[in-house]
């Protein structure tokens, strides 16, 4: 592979199928790309060929949605095997998953479901993360998710849970700024408390996305531009952690590629301001 094996601390975008042909043709100036791992769990065919071609031009991150790290079910060994095979082929700069669950009694629920923040759930997640990291022989990046409920049995805050996962397993964190903001509004906490509890050297990637504010609570749709208070929280994040690889995610109502690139430009400007201040 001809490009860096580590994500650069610059802005990237989530690459979705409708944009692949344009990216291959125009090779836009963007620092790196991220794809959903499961979309490439195939033995061959045009999707993998396209990914190989893109990987030759850009650092690439594999972002999973189906590992179900917090499920009480045993880890899905077939899922892990397919991820490992894809990683061996693509040699991604990062592999990430979500701190959530989505599988019960062998059935997969197509959502990133919330965990109770308990010692028991922490042990389950850490065991699964240890197993994934052993299989992949590299640190996994684990992402904080948006959640629309909290459990009465929670014995710690979300930020203490996330920090404990990183401390216990040595995994890296994918710090999703939008998810922190959505949860802060929906559950009534100060997002700076979350930010302040996260060990900066564990953070290997940042996500930014847009939410829907039309209902009684914020919904993390990944279907809009990043909201002003999320940009503000991102600035505070970069001030605290220093420049980090930052990804613009957009999954619903996907706009033209140029809109994603424009959002990435805003993130890049914030990263460069932080660099200039540090110099
Ligand atoms: Fe995210």
């Amino acid at each position: 592979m001809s490009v860096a094996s580590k994500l650069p601390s610059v802005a990237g975008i989530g690459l979705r199928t409708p944009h692949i042909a344009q990216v291959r043709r125009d090779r836009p100036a963007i620092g790196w790309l991220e794809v959903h791992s499961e979309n490439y769990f195939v033995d061959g065919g045009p999707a993998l060929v396209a990914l190989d071609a893109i990987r030759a031009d850009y650092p690439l991150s594999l972002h999973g949605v189906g590992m179900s790290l917090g499920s009480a079910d045993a880890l899905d060994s077939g899922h892990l095997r397919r991820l490992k095979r894809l990683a061996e082929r693509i040699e991604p700069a990062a592999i990430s998953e979500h701190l959530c669950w989505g599988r019960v009694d062998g059935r997969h629920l197509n959502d990133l479901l919330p965990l109770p923040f308990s010692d028991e759930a922490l042990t389950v997640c850490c065991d699964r993360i240890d197993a994934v990291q052993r299989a992949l022989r590299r640190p996994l990046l684990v992402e904080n998710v948006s959640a629309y409920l909290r459990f009465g049995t929670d014995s710690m805050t979300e930020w203490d849970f996330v920090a404990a996962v990183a401390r216990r397993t040595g995994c890296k964190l994918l710090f999703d700024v939008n998810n922190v903001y959505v949860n802060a509004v929906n559950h009534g906490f100060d997002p700076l408390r979350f930010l302040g509890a996260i060990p900066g050297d564990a953070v290997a990637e940042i996500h930014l996305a847009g939410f829907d504010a039309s209902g009684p609570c914020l919904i993390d749709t990944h279907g809009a531009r990043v909201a002003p208070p999320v940009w503000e929280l991102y600035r505070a994040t970069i001030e605290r952690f220093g420049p980090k690889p930052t990804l613009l995610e957009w999954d619903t109502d996907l706009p033209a590629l140029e809109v994603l690139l424009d959002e990435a430009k805003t993130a890049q400007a914030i990263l460069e301001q932080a660099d200039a201040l540090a110099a």
Side-chain angles (χ1 to χ4, degrees):
M1 291 290 171
S2 58
V3 290
S5 59
K6 187 170 175 276
L7 289 181
S9 290
V10 297
I13 59 168
L15 179 62
R16 304 297 176 248
T17 305
H19 294 153
I20 287 176
Q22 191 182 350
V23 166
R24 287 186 68 183
R25 191 184 64 233
D26 299 347
R27 297 186 185 182
I30 186 76
W32 56 285
L33 299 166
E34 183 164 283
V35 296
H36 285 147
S37 316
E38 288 82 0
N39 290 346
Y40 297 91
F41 282 4
V42 287
D43 293 326
L48 265 183
V49 169
L51 194 62
D52 285 339
I54 286 163
R55 174 65 183 87
D57 288 338
Y58 296 94
L60 196 67
S61 162
L62 293 179
H63 187 47
V65 293
M67 189 67 79
S68 195
L69 292 172
S71 175
D73 281 13
L75 209 51
D76 181 343
S77 57
H79 192 99
L80 183 54
R81 212 168 30 245
R82 287 190 286 275
L83 178 59
K84 191 172 156 63
R85 197 165 54 182
L86 178 64
E88 283 166 355
R89 176 178 181 133
I90 297 298
E91 297 180 353
I95 304 178
S96 54
E97 252 297 343
H98 295 86
L99 200 50
C100 68
W101 69 279
R103 230 161 60 86
V104 62
D105 292 338
R107 286 184 187 206
H108 190 83
L109 306 162
N110 207 9
D111 220 330
L112 305 174
L113 296 168
L115 290 165
F117 300 128
S118 64
D119 287 327
E120 196 181 10
L122 184 59
T123 300
V124 166
C125 289
C126 290
D127 286 352
R128 307 285 186 264
I129 292 166
D130 285 341
V132 172
Q133 294 189 131
R134 266 197 311 275
L136 297 177
R137 297 204 199 113
R138 61 192 290 166
L140 182 68
L141 278 58
V142 176
E143 177 178 353
N144 56 294
V145 299
S146 296
Y148 305 99
L149 61 82
R150 287 288 186 243
F151 295 89
T153 52
D154 284 358
S155 59
M156 64 188 96
T157 60
E158 183 184 3
W159 48 91
D160 286 340
F161 190 91
V162 172
V165 163
R167 204 169 47 241
R168 278 203 205 175
T169 65
C171 76
K172 296 295 180 186
L173 296 176
L174 196 179
F175 187 73
D176 190 311
V177 176
N178 183 59
N179 292 351
V180 170
Y181 182 77
V182 164
N183 285 354
V185 170
N186 289 346
H187 302 297
F189 63 80
D190 179 353
L192 296 179
R193 288 194 68 198
F194 198 136
L195 181 59
I198 297 301
D201 47 355
V203 176
E205 183 183 334
I206 290 174
H207 271 179
L208 292 167
F211 55 73
D212 182 323
S214 62
C217 69
L218 300 186
I219 301 289
D220 176 30
T221 53
H222 295 185
R225 283 186 182 264
V226 176
V230 175
W231 282 123
E232 212 173 287
L233 185 57
Y234 175 60
R235 267 195 197 87
T237 300
I238 295 301
E239 264 169 39
R240 177 165 152 70
F241 298 152
K244 297 281 185 184
T246 300
L247 187 95
L248 272 297
E249 295 186 286
W250 204 311
D251 289 291
T252 59
D253 292 331
L254 192 70
L257 180 64
E258 288 70 22
V259 177
L260 272 74
L261 295 172
D262 188 52
E263 289 282 269
K265 239 187 234 169
T266 306
Q268 186 61 35
I270 293 169
L271 288 165
E272 284 169 14
Q273 276 163 18
D275 261 342
L277 282 176

